[in-house]
Amino acid sequence: MKPPLLLATLLIVTAAVGGCNDATSAIHADFTGPARPIRLRVHLATPTAQDNYDAIKDEYGRPLYVQPAPLLTERDIAEAQALLGEQRNLVLLRFKAWAAGRLQAASQAAVGQRLAIFLDDRFLLSAVIVGPIESGALCLDGDFSRRRAEEIARGLLTREP
């Protein structure tokens, strides 16, 4: 997969603060058939080295230090939708009430820091927190194909037996 573009960072911040409403000409995909479970981890992160934080490279190859414990996981997701557009395919995540509250409180305390997002333990993208995330939603833009966006949305709601 190609690394996400600068647009990825802007879209996730826009989505987190105001929703994915205008990000694409959205078509909400209908899903059928079995899906492979996909794991999600959302962590607070900073470009400055911190004790006990995990060092990784961000989507541009710059150092990023990730808080060890995730802020959110796939278990916190209430809804996942593939938003399919002519230019971009995104995945909209809406979190359960308690997780949305945790996201809001953490983002309010961490303005200027970053969120680091992982799918199946692979780094996807990061975004600067520009303000409290009050919507209880994040929009993922990983330069997804239509099929991959649908797979991710289904997989994030599929639990392993």
Side-chain angles (χ1 to χ4, degrees):
M1 179 187 321
K2 296 183 275 184
L5 306 170
L6 177 60
L7 180 62
T9 301
L10 297 175
L11 282 174
I12 191 168
V13 171
T14 300
V17 175
C20 287
N21 300 346
D22 298 321
T24 70
S25 55
I27 300 169
H28 299 280
D30 291 323
F31 306 114
T32 57
R36 177 185 67 80
I38 293 179
R39 291 181 314 279
L40 169 81
R41 289 186 293 124
V42 178
H43 294 259
L44 290 174
T46 179
T48 308
Q50 303 288 319
D51 288 341
N52 300 320
Y53 277 40
D54 299 321
I56 65 167
K57 298 282 185 189
D58 72 7
E59 57 270 37
Y60 304 103
R62 299 174 302 210
L64 187 64
Y65 300 89
V66 178
Q67 193 174 59
L71 179 62
L72 302 165
T73 71
E74 70 280 354
R75 291 181 187 94
D76 298 313
I77 297 172
E79 180 183 352
Q81 293 179 315
L83 303 179
L84 307 176
E86 291 183 30
Q87 306 261 331
R88 307 294 290 180
N89 301 304
L90 311 173
V91 178
L92 172 63
L93 305 177
R94 293 191 194 282
F95 293 96
K96 296 174 184 171
W98 69 84
R102 196 167 56 235
L103 178 60
Q104 181 176 352
S107 61
Q108 186 167 3
V111 170
Q113 292 185 38
R114 299 174 85 178
L115 289 177
I117 299 175
F118 296 80
L119 291 179
D120 286 337
D121 297 323
R122 293 185 65 209
F123 175 74
L124 176 65
L125 60 95
S126 67
V128 175
I129 301 169
V130 296
I133 302 170
E134 298 173 346
S135 65
L138 295 177
C139 198
L140 307 180
D141 177 6
D143 196 23
F144 304 126
S145 69
R146 294 172 76 87
R147 181 176 178 189
R148 182 66 179 145
E150 291 170 343
E151 247 174 34
I152 291 168
R154 273 196 336 243
L156 286 170
L157 295 175
T158 302
R159 302 292 176 254
E160 296 188 69

